Amino acid sequence: MRDLLARLAVGAPVPVFPVAGGGTREALARLRLRPDVHLVDTPRHAIVLLVLGEFPPGEIAGLAAVHDMIPSPRVTVHWTPGGPRDDVPRSMRVDGDDTALVAALSRVAGEVLSGTRASEPPIRPDVDPVEWRGIGPYGHGGKGMTGGTPFGRPLAERAPDRDGLELDQLSVTVGPWLGALPPGLELGIKLQGDVIQEVEIHPPAVTLERPDGWVRALEVPVPVAELELDRARHHLVWLGEALRVHDLPALGQRTLRLAQGLTPGDRGEVERVLAEVRRTGIYRLALRGLGAVDPSQVGGLGPVARAAGLEDDARLDDPTYQELGFRPVSHRGADAADRWRQRIAEITQSLDLAGRAGDRTAFGDGVVEGPRGRITSDGILPGAVTVDLLPELLTGLEWGDAVAVVWSLDVDPTGVASRSSPEGAAA
Amino acid sequence: MSPAWAVALVGVLLMVSVYLVAVMETIFGLRVSGVRGYGRAWALPMSRAALLLSQRRSVTERPDAQAWALAPALLGGLGAVALTAIPLAAGVEVADVDAGIVLFGAALVQVMVAVFLHGWAANSLFPVLGAFRMAALALSVSIPFSLVVITTALPAESLSVGLIISSQESLWNVVRQPLGLPIYLITGLGFSFWAPLQLPDARDLSGGTSAEVSGAALLVWRVARASILVAVAAMGAAAFLGGYLGPWLPGWLWMAVKTFGLLAILVWSGHRIARPRMETAVKLGWTVLLPLALVDVFVSGALTL
């Protein structure tokens, strides 16, 4: 029976839960396009735990918990686009490109399903988080009606809710590998029902992503065509991931496929897909009125600033862009829908610029307009500043709306790492 | 029909239709994502099912194990009960009851209970948020849903689905009550929490009520959910599109064609329409669909008189 099921199951895409470290944004997007792999939203639906990319030295935050959530049979694979991790056993490591990775994922999944490879045992011991047995008047860990830690869990706190009632408040940590949030983002939140009452940003779980082309443009002039295609590609990958979280995965895949091998000549197809995105009604149904930012807080944040009506763009000061007649697109509502409109408009604008730029070069004097905003030589990436907006914007929102706002900001938790590491070095 | 035959018939019908829904879902997904070649779509649901059957079920900390096991079975059972009320061809009705649409409605309103149990029982944050979403969603869509279904009984002057179908011999209800079918399909999507109204099992909750479920339990849940969609489409075909009535073809074939036509529209909309915010969905139910459903009742009632 097991053999029969395993043989039948070979035809299905391997359900993989990704734990994505630094420098894997594009690799993850490519992996989503592979028909033999299905990147799932929760470890419970996976067979393979895929750890990819770069992490700070030492244990990967939350990895053991994610591993143990995967039901048996389970298997772990490590893969780094740039080269193997040294601290991982060879049996769990895959070297090589995407194709080698997909082949390895299918192979290990087949082995663990047919039983030729043993399922991995849990990493963490199966014990209660705190002592509770035998404690208290009924031996359940509580102190009568309120208080104590009954059955090993602290009781929810109470606080006034938005209707003025005193209701339970639940403190939880979400992330860093929650499928609904960008990889590496960890938030401590207090929830009443599904309304967020308090948000705290936890230290990031991922090392600095190196946006190579953009950092290089700080020092030497770089071809405009190359930069603008990179920008369009960045926004298309963002759009694909955001559409997936908004439950339009097929349209998201189409967008991610466009990002592969993008050229200025693809403009017609890009416009067709963007029109389809608009036709889903996503602005009106899911985004309008959510997460409006104060324009005074978003200077230098690229599309987020321009969606709030600011003509904030380092390209305005660059002579090459001036020569090309560059004028930034902007919107005025400052909410999540406007940020989507902004990036979608910038995709076609960038393709247009890339097509007209010829072999002109731009930047090279310490300031670059990256896809998330202004990058300067001080090493602070705009994604870091965007993360700081979250506590204020998310407080008071329902969970689903909060997720929409996080994606509309194109938050980059790895940017936090880039900011905190110089401080760490100073200390 | 003897009980054994009835169970076998409903079981086979549901399995075949649910499989076809899965195939449709795959084909529409491939099409929207821009991939050519749909040959793979026919075998894919089978492989996926085998994969889920090879997986153990997951255990959370202190789940309500009985409710967790019950919920998928209850949901599937409700889909089957709802289907029994619908005549598949002239005179072929599994449960030949006088008040068939009441039986159908009674089965569907309990979908909320099954989904709530499913989310509640996992003893985990996102599933329980999904459970509360289902409560809010089902409450918002159930009154307009019931109103448009009951309105189809007015021209027939009967609550029997068989008589509702035969009352459409001269004119289908989709023409007689133009507001009915659109409202029915939107609210039906809500009851089967199918995209774009899959709020209880949405990705922003990492799968919502099924976020903690794996293996065979997940397979049963997905099959049960699709069976609700099938029941909704079959009743839509019977109540608005004249069911098995039609020229040339045998009645059962007309019924199948109409049901799968509606299923195609429902599955297609999941890939083409964005999932609304919870608040937007609730507002849609109470401030748009409910008044329109009342207009439907009053106008149809006046015309019948």
Short mmCIF file of all heavy atoms in Angstrom, two decimals, chain A residues 8 12 15 35 41-42 44-46 71-72 132 153 178 180 194 244-247 250 253-254 257 276 280 285 399-401, chain B residues 29 32-33 35 40 47 50-51 55-56 61-62 129 133 198 202-206 210-214 272 274-277 280:
data_model
loop_
_atom_site.label_atom_id
_atom_site.label_comp_id
_atom_site.label_asym_id
_atom_site.label_seq_id
_atom_site.Cartn_x
_atom_site.Cartn_y
_atom_site.Cartn_z
N LEU A 8 2.36 6.61 -6.81
CA LEU A 8 1.39 7.58 -7.31
C LEU A 8 1.81 9.01 -6.96
O LEU A 8 1.67 9.94 -7.75
CB LEU A 8 0.02 7.31 -6.69
CG LEU A 8 -0.85 6.28 -7.36
CD1 LEU A 8 -2.10 6.04 -6.52
CD2 LEU A 8 -1.25 6.75 -8.74
N ALA A 12 3.15 14.19 -8.18
CA ALA A 12 2.73 15.46 -7.59
C ALA A 12 3.94 16.34 -7.33
O ALA A 12 5.02 15.85 -7.06
CB ALA A 12 1.99 15.20 -6.28
N PRO A 15 5.83 19.08 -1.93
CA PRO A 15 5.51 20.20 -1.06
C PRO A 15 6.71 20.59 -0.20
O PRO A 15 7.21 19.78 0.58
CB PRO A 15 4.35 19.69 -0.20
CG PRO A 15 4.37 18.22 -0.31
CD PRO A 15 5.18 17.83 -1.50
N PRO A 35 7.50 23.45 -11.99
CA PRO A 35 6.27 22.64 -11.86
C PRO A 35 6.43 21.45 -10.89
O PRO A 35 5.44 20.92 -10.41
CB PRO A 35 6.01 22.15 -13.29
CG PRO A 35 7.29 22.31 -14.01
CD PRO A 35 8.05 23.41 -13.35
N ASP A 41 2.46 27.14 2.32
CA ASP A 41 2.36 28.28 3.22
C ASP A 41 2.55 27.92 4.68
O ASP A 41 2.68 28.80 5.51
CB ASP A 41 0.98 28.93 3.05
CG ASP A 41 0.73 29.32 1.62
OD1 ASP A 41 1.50 30.14 1.11
OD2 ASP A 41 -0.20 28.78 1.01
N THR A 42 2.47 26.65 5.01
CA THR A 42 2.65 26.25 6.39
C THR A 42 3.45 24.96 6.43
O THR A 42 3.29 24.11 5.55
CB THR A 42 1.28 26.07 7.11
OG1 THR A 42 1.44 25.13 8.18
CG2 THR A 42 0.21 25.57 6.19
N ARG A 44 3.02 22.45 8.08
CA ARG A 44 2.15 21.29 8.22
C ARG A 44 1.84 20.64 6.88
O ARG A 44 1.45 19.49 6.82
CB ARG A 44 0.82 21.70 8.86
CG ARG A 44 0.93 22.29 10.23
CD ARG A 44 1.39 21.26 11.22
NE ARG A 44 1.20 21.73 12.58
CZ ARG A 44 1.75 21.16 13.64
NH1 ARG A 44 2.53 20.10 13.49
NH2 ARG A 44 1.54 21.64 14.84
N HIS A 45 1.92 21.40 5.78
CA HIS A 45 1.58 20.86 4.47
C HIS A 45 2.81 20.39 3.71
O HIS A 45 2.72 20.02 2.55
CB HIS A 45 0.83 21.91 3.64
CG HIS A 45 -0.45 22.38 4.27
ND1 HIS A 45 -1.22 23.38 3.75
CD2 HIS A 45 -1.08 21.98 5.39
CE1 HIS A 45 -2.28 23.59 4.53
NE2 HIS A 45 -2.21 22.75 5.53
N ALA A 46 3.98 20.41 4.35
CA ALA A 46 5.23 20.14 3.63
C ALA A 46 5.75 18.73 3.92
O ALA A 46 5.35 18.07 4.87
CB ALA A 46 6.27 21.16 4.03
N PRO A 71 4.91 17.28 9.50
CA PRO A 71 4.54 15.93 9.93
C PRO A 71 5.46 14.89 9.30
O PRO A 71 6.08 15.15 8.27
CB PRO A 71 3.11 15.78 9.41
CG PRO A 71 3.01 16.73 8.27
CD PRO A 71 3.95 17.86 8.56
N SER A 72 5.54 13.74 9.92
CA SER A 72 6.31 12.64 9.38
C SER A 72 5.62 12.14 8.11
O SER A 72 4.38 12.11 8.10
CB SER A 72 6.37 11.54 10.44
OG SER A 72 7.03 10.43 9.94
N TRP A 132 3.83 22.51 35.11
CA TRP A 132 2.50 22.84 35.60
C TRP A 132 1.84 21.66 36.31
O TRP A 132 1.00 21.84 37.18
CB TRP A 132 1.61 23.32 34.47
CG TRP A 132 1.40 22.34 33.36
CD1 TRP A 132 2.16 22.18 32.25
CD2 TRP A 132 0.37 21.36 33.27
NE1 TRP A 132 1.70 21.17 31.47
CE2 TRP A 132 0.58 20.63 32.07
CE3 TRP A 132 -0.72 21.00 34.08
CZ2 TRP A 132 -0.24 19.59 31.66
CZ3 TRP A 132 -1.54 19.96 33.67
CH2 TRP A 132 -1.29 19.27 32.47
N ARG A 153 0.22 27.01 30.05
CA ARG A 153 0.14 28.23 29.24
C ARG A 153 -0.27 29.40 30.12
O ARG A 153 -1.22 29.28 30.89
CB ARG A 153 -0.95 28.06 28.16
CG ARG A 153 -0.50 27.22 27.00
CD ARG A 153 0.42 28.01 26.12
NE ARG A 153 0.91 27.20 25.03
CZ ARG A 153 2.18 27.20 24.66
NH1 ARG A 153 3.05 27.94 25.28
NH2 ARG A 153 2.58 26.48 23.65
N LEU A 178 6.87 32.83 8.82
CA LEU A 178 5.45 32.69 8.53
C LEU A 178 5.23 32.95 7.03
O LEU A 178 5.67 33.97 6.51
CB LEU A 178 4.66 33.70 9.36
CG LEU A 178 3.15 33.57 9.29
CD1 LEU A 178 2.70 32.33 10.04
CD2 LEU A 178 2.46 34.79 9.86
N ALA A 180 2.83 34.04 5.45
CA ALA A 180 2.08 35.25 5.12
C ALA A 180 2.91 36.52 5.23
O ALA A 180 2.48 37.58 4.79
CB ALA A 180 0.86 35.36 6.03
N ASP A 194 -8.97 39.27 16.25
CA ASP A 194 -7.93 39.41 15.23
C ASP A 194 -7.49 40.86 15.06
O ASP A 194 -6.90 41.23 14.05
CB ASP A 194 -8.38 38.80 13.90
CG ASP A 194 -9.49 39.59 13.24
OD1 ASP A 194 -10.11 40.42 13.93
OD2 ASP A 194 -9.73 39.39 12.04
N ARG A 244 0.40 36.29 -4.41
CA ARG A 244 0.26 34.97 -3.78
C ARG A 244 -0.37 35.11 -2.40
O ARG A 244 -1.33 34.41 -2.06
CB ARG A 244 1.63 34.30 -3.66
CG ARG A 244 1.60 33.01 -2.85
CD ARG A 244 3.00 32.42 -2.73
NE ARG A 244 3.93 33.32 -2.07
CZ ARG A 244 4.05 33.46 -0.76
NH1 ARG A 244 3.29 32.76 0.04
NH2 ARG A 244 4.90 34.32 -0.24
N VAL A 245 0.13 36.05 -1.59
CA VAL A 245 -0.40 36.22 -0.25
C VAL A 245 -1.86 36.68 -0.30
O VAL A 245 -2.66 36.37 0.57
CB VAL A 245 0.48 37.19 0.56
CG1 VAL A 245 -0.14 37.48 1.91
CG2 VAL A 245 1.86 36.61 0.72
N HIS A 246 -2.22 37.41 -1.38
CA HIS A 246 -3.62 37.82 -1.55
C HIS A 246 -4.45 36.74 -2.23
O HIS A 246 -5.52 37.02 -2.76
CB HIS A 246 -3.69 39.12 -2.36
CG HIS A 246 -3.42 40.35 -1.53
ND1 HIS A 246 -4.39 41.00 -0.83
CD2 HIS A 246 -2.27 41.01 -1.26
CE1 HIS A 246 -3.88 42.02 -0.18
NE2 HIS A 246 -2.59 42.05 -0.42
N ASP A 247 -3.95 35.50 -2.24
CA ASP A 247 -4.68 34.35 -2.78
C ASP A 247 -4.96 34.44 -4.28
O ASP A 247 -6.00 33.99 -4.75
CB ASP A 247 -6.00 34.12 -2.02
CG ASP A 247 -5.77 33.28 -0.77
OD1 ASP A 247 -5.27 32.17 -0.91
OD2 ASP A 247 -6.05 33.78 0.33
N ALA A 250 -1.90 31.96 -9.10
CA ALA A 250 -1.63 31.70 -10.51
C ALA A 250 -1.21 32.98 -11.22
O ALA A 250 -0.23 33.00 -11.98
CB ALA A 250 -2.85 31.08 -11.19
N GLN A 253 2.26 33.75 -10.24
CA GLN A 253 3.26 32.98 -10.98
C GLN A 253 3.53 33.60 -12.34
O GLN A 253 4.66 33.65 -12.80
CB GLN A 253 2.76 31.56 -11.19
CG GLN A 253 3.19 30.62 -10.08
CD GLN A 253 3.08 29.19 -10.54
OE1 GLN A 253 2.24 28.86 -11.36
NE2 GLN A 253 3.93 28.34 -10.02
N ARG A 254 2.45 34.06 -12.97
CA ARG A 254 2.61 34.67 -14.30
C ARG A 254 3.51 35.89 -14.19
O ARG A 254 4.37 36.14 -15.04
CB ARG A 254 1.22 35.04 -14.81
CG ARG A 254 1.25 35.72 -16.13
CD ARG A 254 0.27 35.09 -17.08
NE ARG A 254 0.27 35.84 -18.32
CZ ARG A 254 -0.83 36.39 -18.84
NH1 ARG A 254 -1.98 36.25 -18.23
NH2 ARG A 254 -0.74 37.05 -19.96
N ARG A 257 7.08 34.87 -13.68
CA ARG A 257 7.67 34.37 -14.92
C ARG A 257 8.12 35.53 -15.80
O ARG A 257 9.16 35.46 -16.45
CB ARG A 257 6.66 33.48 -15.66
CG ARG A 257 7.27 32.79 -16.87
CD ARG A 257 6.40 31.67 -17.42
NE ARG A 257 6.30 30.58 -16.49
CZ ARG A 257 5.19 30.24 -15.87
NH1 ARG A 257 4.08 30.91 -16.09
NH2 ARG A 257 5.16 29.24 -15.03
N GLU A 276 -4.46 42.75 -16.12
CA GLU A 276 -5.20 41.65 -15.48
C GLU A 276 -5.20 41.81 -13.97
O GLU A 276 -6.19 41.52 -13.31
CB GLU A 276 -4.58 40.31 -15.86
CG GLU A 276 -5.26 39.69 -17.04
CD GLU A 276 -4.68 38.35 -17.40
OE1 GLU A 276 -4.46 37.53 -16.50
OE2 GLU A 276 -4.43 38.14 -18.61
N THR A 280 -8.69 42.34 -11.38
CA THR A 280 -9.15 41.50 -10.27
C THR A 280 -9.88 42.32 -9.22
O THR A 280 -10.46 41.75 -8.29
CB THR A 280 -7.97 40.81 -9.57
OG1 THR A 280 -7.13 41.82 -9.01
CG2 THR A 280 -7.17 39.94 -10.50
N LEU A 285 -11.21 45.99 -3.51
CA LEU A 285 -11.68 44.93 -2.60
C LEU A 285 -10.76 44.73 -1.40
O LEU A 285 -11.21 44.38 -0.33
CB LEU A 285 -11.82 43.61 -3.36
CG LEU A 285 -12.93 43.56 -4.41
CD1 LEU A 285 -12.80 42.29 -5.25
CD2 LEU A 285 -14.29 43.59 -3.72
N TRP A 399 -5.95 41.37 11.48
CA TRP A 399 -4.75 40.67 11.01
C TRP A 399 -4.62 40.69 9.48
O TRP A 399 -3.55 40.98 8.94
CB TRP A 399 -4.74 39.22 11.53
CG TRP A 399 -3.66 38.43 10.89
CD1 TRP A 399 -3.79 37.53 9.88
CD2 TRP A 399 -2.25 38.52 11.17
NE1 TRP A 399 -2.56 37.04 9.52
CE2 TRP A 399 -1.60 37.63 10.30
CE3 TRP A 399 -1.49 39.26 12.08
CZ2 TRP A 399 -0.22 37.45 10.30
CZ3 TRP A 399 -0.10 39.08 12.08
CH2 TRP A 399 0.51 38.19 11.20
N GLY A 400 -5.72 40.39 8.78
CA GLY A 400 -5.65 40.32 7.32
C GLY A 400 -5.24 41.66 6.71
O GLY A 400 -4.44 41.71 5.76
N ASP A 401 -5.76 42.74 7.26
CA ASP A 401 -5.40 44.07 6.76
C ASP A 401 -3.94 44.37 7.07
O ASP A 401 -3.24 45.01 6.28
CB ASP A 401 -6.30 45.14 7.39
CG ASP A 401 -7.75 44.96 6.98
OD1 ASP A 401 -7.99 44.21 6.02
OD2 ASP A 401 -8.62 45.56 7.61
N GLY B 29 -5.79 27.29 -13.14
CA GLY B 29 -4.56 27.80 -12.53
C GLY B 29 -3.43 27.85 -13.55
O GLY B 29 -2.73 28.86 -13.67
N VAL B 32 -4.13 30.69 -16.15
CA VAL B 32 -3.88 32.05 -15.66
C VAL B 32 -2.39 32.27 -15.45
O VAL B 32 -1.86 33.36 -15.70
CB VAL B 32 -4.66 32.31 -14.35
CG1 VAL B 32 -4.27 33.64 -13.74
CG2 VAL B 32 -6.15 32.28 -14.61
N SER B 33 -1.67 31.22 -15.05
CA SER B 33 -0.24 31.42 -14.80
C SER B 33 0.55 31.38 -16.11
O SER B 33 1.76 31.56 -16.10
CB SER B 33 0.29 30.39 -13.81
OG SER B 33 0.27 29.12 -14.41
N VAL B 35 0.92 28.87 -18.39
CA VAL B 35 1.59 27.63 -18.79
C VAL B 35 0.72 26.92 -19.81
O VAL B 35 -0.49 26.82 -19.65
CB VAL B 35 1.80 26.72 -17.55
CG1 VAL B 35 2.45 25.41 -17.97
CG2 VAL B 35 2.65 27.42 -16.52
N ARG B 40 -1.34 17.17 -18.05
CA ARG B 40 -0.93 16.83 -16.69
C ARG B 40 -2.06 17.03 -15.69
O ARG B 40 -2.11 16.34 -14.66
CB ARG B 40 0.23 17.78 -16.39
CG ARG B 40 1.09 17.54 -15.22
CD ARG B 40 2.18 18.63 -15.28
NE ARG B 40 2.46 19.19 -13.96
CZ ARG B 40 3.42 18.74 -13.18
NH1 ARG B 40 4.19 17.77 -13.56
NH2 ARG B 40 3.63 19.29 -12.01
N SER B 47 -2.32 12.27 -7.89
CA SER B 47 -0.99 12.24 -7.27
C SER B 47 -0.97 13.04 -5.98
O SER B 47 -0.37 12.63 -4.98
CB SER B 47 0.05 12.84 -8.22
OG SER B 47 0.03 12.18 -9.44
N ALA B 50 -2.56 11.01 -3.28
CA ALA B 50 -1.68 9.94 -2.81
C ALA B 50 -0.61 10.50 -1.89
O ALA B 50 -0.25 9.90 -0.86
CB ALA B 50 -1.03 9.25 -4.01
N LEU B 51 -0.11 11.68 -2.23
CA LEU B 51 0.92 12.31 -1.41
C LEU B 51 0.38 12.64 -0.01
O LEU B 51 1.03 12.37 1.01
CB LEU B 51 1.41 13.57 -2.10
CG LEU B 51 2.74 14.09 -1.60
CD1 LEU B 51 3.62 14.44 -2.78
CD2 LEU B 51 2.58 15.30 -0.73
N GLN B 55 1.18 11.00 4.17
CA GLN B 55 1.65 11.86 5.26
C GLN B 55 0.90 11.52 6.53
O GLN B 55 -0.30 11.24 6.49
CB GLN B 55 1.33 13.31 4.88
CG GLN B 55 2.49 14.23 4.88
CD GLN B 55 2.02 15.66 4.59
OE1 GLN B 55 0.86 15.91 4.28
NE2 GLN B 55 2.92 16.58 4.70
N ARG B 56 1.59 11.59 7.68
CA ARG B 56 0.87 11.41 8.95
C ARG B 56 0.08 12.67 9.26
O ARG B 56 0.43 13.75 8.79
CB ARG B 56 1.86 11.19 10.08
CG ARG B 56 2.74 10.02 9.87
CD ARG B 56 2.24 8.81 10.63
NE ARG B 56 3.18 7.73 10.41
CZ ARG B 56 4.31 7.62 11.11
NH1 ARG B 56 4.59 8.47 12.06
NH2 ARG B 56 5.15 6.63 10.86
N GLU B 61 -0.49 21.24 20.26
CA GLU B 61 -0.51 21.11 21.71
C GLU B 61 -1.96 21.16 22.18
O GLU B 61 -2.65 22.15 21.96
CB GLU B 61 0.29 22.27 22.31
CG GLU B 61 0.67 22.05 23.74
CD GLU B 61 1.44 23.24 24.27
OE1 GLU B 61 2.25 23.81 23.52
OE2 GLU B 61 1.22 23.61 25.43
N ARG B 62 -2.41 20.09 22.81
CA ARG B 62 -3.75 20.00 23.38
C ARG B 62 -4.88 20.39 22.41
O ARG B 62 -5.64 21.31 22.67
CB ARG B 62 -3.87 20.88 24.64
CG ARG B 62 -2.86 20.51 25.64
CD ARG B 62 -3.11 21.06 27.00
NE ARG B 62 -2.40 20.20 27.93
CZ ARG B 62 -2.95 19.20 28.56
NH1 ARG B 62 -4.21 18.95 28.42
NH2 ARG B 62 -2.23 18.44 29.35
N LEU B 129 -8.64 32.12 14.23
CA LEU B 129 -9.01 33.35 13.52
C LEU B 129 -9.83 33.01 12.28
O LEU B 129 -10.81 33.68 11.96
CB LEU B 129 -7.76 34.15 13.13
CG LEU B 129 -6.95 34.78 14.27
CD1 LEU B 129 -5.82 35.64 13.71
CD2 LEU B 129 -7.83 35.62 15.19
N ARG B 133 -13.65 34.09 11.23
CA ARG B 133 -13.97 34.66 9.92
C ARG B 133 -15.16 33.93 9.29
O ARG B 133 -16.01 34.55 8.68
CB ARG B 133 -12.76 34.54 8.99
CG ARG B 133 -11.72 35.59 9.20
CD ARG B 133 -10.65 35.47 8.13
NE ARG B 133 -9.63 36.49 8.27
CZ ARG B 133 -8.64 36.64 7.41
NH1 ARG B 133 -8.53 35.84 6.37
NH2 ARG B 133 -7.75 37.59 7.59
N GLN B 198 -12.49 32.69 0.15
CA GLN B 198 -11.92 31.65 1.02
C GLN B 198 -11.32 32.26 2.28
O GLN B 198 -10.30 31.79 2.78
CB GLN B 198 -10.89 30.80 0.26
CG GLN B 198 -9.53 31.42 0.02
CD GLN B 198 -9.54 32.47 -1.05
OE1 GLN B 198 -10.38 33.36 -1.05
NE2 GLN B 198 -8.61 32.38 -1.96
N ALA B 202 -7.67 31.37 4.27
CA ALA B 202 -6.88 32.22 3.37
C ALA B 202 -5.38 32.13 3.65
O ALA B 202 -4.95 31.70 4.71
CB ALA B 202 -7.34 33.67 3.51
N ARG B 203 -4.61 32.56 2.65
CA ARG B 203 -3.16 32.53 2.81
C ARG B 203 -2.64 33.56 3.80
O ARG B 203 -1.57 33.39 4.33
CB ARG B 203 -2.49 32.77 1.45
CG ARG B 203 -2.37 31.53 0.64
CD ARG B 203 -1.39 31.76 -0.51
NE ARG B 203 -1.14 30.50 -1.20
CZ ARG B 203 -1.97 29.96 -2.06
NH1 ARG B 203 -3.10 30.53 -2.34
NH2 ARG B 203 -1.68 28.82 -2.65
N ASP B 204 -3.38 34.65 4.02
CA ASP B 204 -2.88 35.61 5.00
C ASP B 204 -2.97 35.04 6.41
O ASP B 204 -2.37 35.56 7.34
CB ASP B 204 -3.56 36.98 4.88
CG ASP B 204 -5.07 36.91 5.06
OD1 ASP B 204 -5.58 35.79 5.26
OD2 ASP B 204 -5.72 37.96 4.99
N LEU B 205 -3.70 33.93 6.56
CA LEU B 205 -3.70 33.19 7.83
C LEU B 205 -2.90 31.90 7.67
O LEU B 205 -3.12 30.95 8.43
CB LEU B 205 -5.13 32.85 8.26
CG LEU B 205 -6.07 33.99 8.62
CD1 LEU B 205 -7.46 33.45 8.93
CD2 LEU B 205 -5.56 34.75 9.83
N SER B 206 -2.04 31.83 6.67
CA SER B 206 -1.25 30.62 6.39
C SER B 206 -2.13 29.38 6.25
O SER B 206 -1.75 28.29 6.65
CB SER B 206 -0.21 30.37 7.49
OG SER B 206 0.78 31.33 7.40
N SER B 210 -7.22 25.31 8.14
CA SER B 210 -6.43 24.11 7.82
C SER B 210 -4.93 24.35 7.96
O SER B 210 -4.14 23.52 7.52
CB SER B 210 -6.77 23.57 6.43
OG SER B 210 -7.05 24.59 5.53
N ALA B 211 -4.54 25.43 8.61
CA ALA B 211 -3.11 25.73 8.76
C ALA B 211 -2.36 24.66 9.55
O ALA B 211 -1.17 24.45 9.35
CB ALA B 211 -2.93 27.09 9.43
N GLU B 212 -3.03 23.98 10.45
CA GLU B 212 -2.35 22.98 11.30
C GLU B 212 -2.68 21.55 10.87
O GLU B 212 -2.32 20.61 11.55
CB GLU B 212 -2.76 23.18 12.77
CG GLU B 212 -2.38 24.52 13.36
CD GLU B 212 -0.95 24.56 13.89
OE1 GLU B 212 -0.19 23.61 13.63
OE2 GLU B 212 -0.61 25.55 14.56
N VAL B 213 -3.39 21.41 9.76
CA VAL B 213 -3.87 20.08 9.38
C VAL B 213 -2.99 19.51 8.27
O VAL B 213 -2.59 20.23 7.37
CB VAL B 213 -5.33 20.17 8.87
CG1 VAL B 213 -5.87 18.79 8.59
CG2 VAL B 213 -6.18 20.88 9.88
N SER B 214 -2.69 18.21 8.36
CA SER B 214 -1.89 17.61 7.30
C SER B 214 -2.41 16.22 7.00
O SER B 214 -3.30 15.71 7.67
CB SER B 214 -0.43 17.56 7.71
OG SER B 214 -0.30 16.77 8.87
N ARG B 272 -9.69 34.98 -10.91
CA ARG B 272 -9.80 36.26 -11.60
C ARG B 272 -10.25 37.40 -10.70
O ARG B 272 -10.18 38.55 -11.09
CB ARG B 272 -10.81 36.12 -12.75
CG ARG B 272 -10.30 35.27 -13.87
CD ARG B 272 -9.10 35.92 -14.50
NE ARG B 272 -8.67 35.17 -15.67
CZ ARG B 272 -7.67 35.55 -16.43
NH1 ARG B 272 -7.01 36.66 -16.18
NH2 ARG B 272 -7.30 34.83 -17.46
N ALA B 274 -10.07 39.25 -6.86
CA ALA B 274 -9.27 39.31 -5.65
C ALA B 274 -10.11 38.96 -4.43
O ALA B 274 -11.31 39.23 -4.39
CB ALA B 274 -8.67 40.69 -5.49
N ARG B 275 -9.46 38.38 -3.43
CA ARG B 275 -10.13 38.10 -2.17
C ARG B 275 -10.38 39.42 -1.45
O ARG B 275 -9.47 40.20 -1.25
CB ARG B 275 -9.24 37.20 -1.30
CG ARG B 275 -9.65 37.17 0.16
CD ARG B 275 -8.97 36.06 0.92
NE ARG B 275 -7.52 36.00 0.78
CZ ARG B 275 -6.69 36.85 1.36
NH1 ARG B 275 -7.13 37.82 2.11
NH2 ARG B 275 -5.40 36.70 1.21
N PRO B 276 -11.66 39.71 -1.10
CA PRO B 276 -11.93 40.98 -0.42
C PRO B 276 -11.43 40.95 1.02
O PRO B 276 -11.22 39.87 1.59
CB PRO B 276 -13.45 41.09 -0.45
CG PRO B 276 -13.94 39.70 -0.59
CD PRO B 276 -12.87 38.92 -1.31
N ARG B 277 -11.27 42.13 1.60
CA ARG B 277 -11.00 42.20 3.04
C ARG B 277 -12.23 41.66 3.77
O ARG B 277 -13.33 41.68 3.25
CB ARG B 277 -10.83 43.66 3.48
CG ARG B 277 -9.73 44.41 2.86
CD ARG B 277 -9.90 45.88 3.19
NE ARG B 277 -9.98 46.07 4.64
CZ ARG B 277 -10.54 47.12 5.23
NH1 ARG B 277 -11.10 48.06 4.51
NH2 ARG B 277 -10.57 47.21 6.53
N THR B 280 -14.92 44.26 3.89
CA THR B 280 -15.59 44.45 2.60
C THR B 280 -16.58 43.31 2.34
O THR B 280 -17.69 43.55 1.85
CB THR B 280 -14.54 44.48 1.47
OG1 THR B 280 -13.50 45.38 1.86
CG2 THR B 280 -15.13 44.94 0.18
#
